Amino acid sequence: AQSVTQLGSHVSVSEGALVLLRCNYSSSVPPYLFWYVQYPNQGLQLLLKYTSAATLVKGINGFEAEFKKSETSFHLTKPSAHMSDAAEYFCAVSDENYGGSQGNLIFGKGTKLSVKP
Amino acid sequence: KAGVTQTPRYLIKTRGQQVTLSCSPISGHRSVSWYQQTPGQGLQFLFEYFSETQRNKGNFPGRFSGRQFSNSRSEMNVSTLELGDSALYLCASSLTDSGGYTFGSGTRLTVV
């Protein structure tokens, strides 16, 4: 069964510092990969999506992620953290057993990002 | 353009009761998925519907069921509630099953 591993349940950075959130997936077949963000008491917002068109994916709010097949990784980065980036971030992969449908996602456990002034 | 609307936002039920949660997708969206979010298990897939047909189902007991209506609105039902069913239930919709999914704000269910 596929799985998604997010290294670090909590990450703290200073405002203006680089944000790096790590995600590794278990599938040998490049699936669809996603990063979502969740603010307190809200649903999930799609940050970016990898669909094999390009290995470097740019998303909203200055975030980007690079797909590395050899490392089965899809780490999320942002060059300069802002206070408004404080939230929980989830990496997800579409389940290949369901014909590539993106309606069935397997999520990582999430990483809470804190941004210090 | 209205987003995905989930009602109610908060719900408190007693163990053994049943509950129905509602999801109104973005207008024109035909695909609806449901997820359960708990601190212990994280986000887990429940069901996926497309044009009134259940296409996929996650690994949940039969007490969890759902349906989708002709206007794409969806409901999920949980019967014989258990304390462990306390969670945030999220609904997401998309125009097709290959597009990005937009999530609602969720229904927070507390079972006492």
Side-chain angles (χ1 to χ4, degrees):
Chain A
Q2 286 186 334
S3 64
V4 177
T5 302
Q6 291 185 239
L7 288 174
S9 58
H10 289 85
V11 170
S12 182
V13 301
S14 298
E15 192 173 20
L18 171 72
V19 175
L20 171 61
L21 304 181
R22 300 177 187 273
C23 172
N24 289 87
Y25 64 94
S26 64
S27 172
S28 60
V29 176
Y32 295 113
L33 289 154
F34 308 81
W35 275 99
Y36 282 89
V37 61
Q38 186 176 35
Y39 297 97
N41 298 316
Q42 293 189 28
L44 302 172
Q45 181 182 11
L46 180 65
L47 279 176
L48 49 83
K49 177 175 74 172
Y50 168 76
T51 58
S52 76
T55 57
L56 184 62
V57 183
K58 294 189 183 299
I60 62 172
N61 301 338
F63 285 95
E64 63 181 35
E66 185 173 9
F67 173 72
K68 292 187 176 180
K69 182 180 177 181
S70 61
E71 299 176 8
T72 61
S73 69
F74 191 57
H75 301 331
L76 182 71
T77 59
K78 181 174 181 177
S80 177
H82 191 271
M83 296 296 289
S84 61
D85 294 328
E88 189 159 20
Y89 292 79
F90 293 91
C91 180
V93 60
S94 57
D95 192 331
E96 62 184 356
N97 294 318
Y98 289 95
S101 166
Q102 297 177 30
N104 172 12
L105 299 179
I106 299 169
F107 284 89
K109 292 294 187 184
T111 297
K112 285 187 178 176
L113 175 67
S114 300
V115 182
K116 297 174 291 186
Chain B
K1 184 177 181 182
V4 178
T5 303
Q6 292 189 245
T7 56
R9 283 297 308 275
Y10 302 93
L11 203 51
I12 299 176
K13 287 288 189 179
T14 303
R15 193 170 43 180
Q17 287 186 312
Q18 75 164 12
V19 67
T20 298
L21 311 182
S22 179
C23 171
S24 294
I26 291 173
S27 179
H29 283 195
R30 297 163 62 193
S31 181
V32 173
S33 291
W34 288 88
Y35 293 83
Q36 181 196 65
Q37 185 177 25
T38 60
Q41 299 299 316
L43 281 152
Q44 294 183 283
F45 169 75
L46 280 159
F47 333 95
E48 177 193 2
Y49 288 90
F50 187 82
S51 295
E52 300 180 67
T53 301
Q54 186 181 89
R55 298 185 64 176
N56 299 310
K57 189 177 191 302
N59 188 26
F60 278 81
R63 300 186 296 107
F64 291 80
S65 63
R67 58 178 176 170
Q68 186 180 31
F69 301 95
S70 58
N71 62 358
S72 294
R73 190 176 70 85
S74 177
E75 288 181 347
M76 68 164 283
N77 184 277
V78 187
S79 62
T80 319
L81 283 166
E82 301 177 359
L83 296 178
D85 298 332
S86 295
L88 180 67
Y89 290 88
L90 293 166
C91 168
S93 76
S94 178
L95 194 60
T96 68
D97 64 353
S98 59
Y101 277 75
T102 301
F103 279 79
S105 297
T107 293
R108 185 164 296 281
L109 172 65
T110 302
V111 182
V112 297

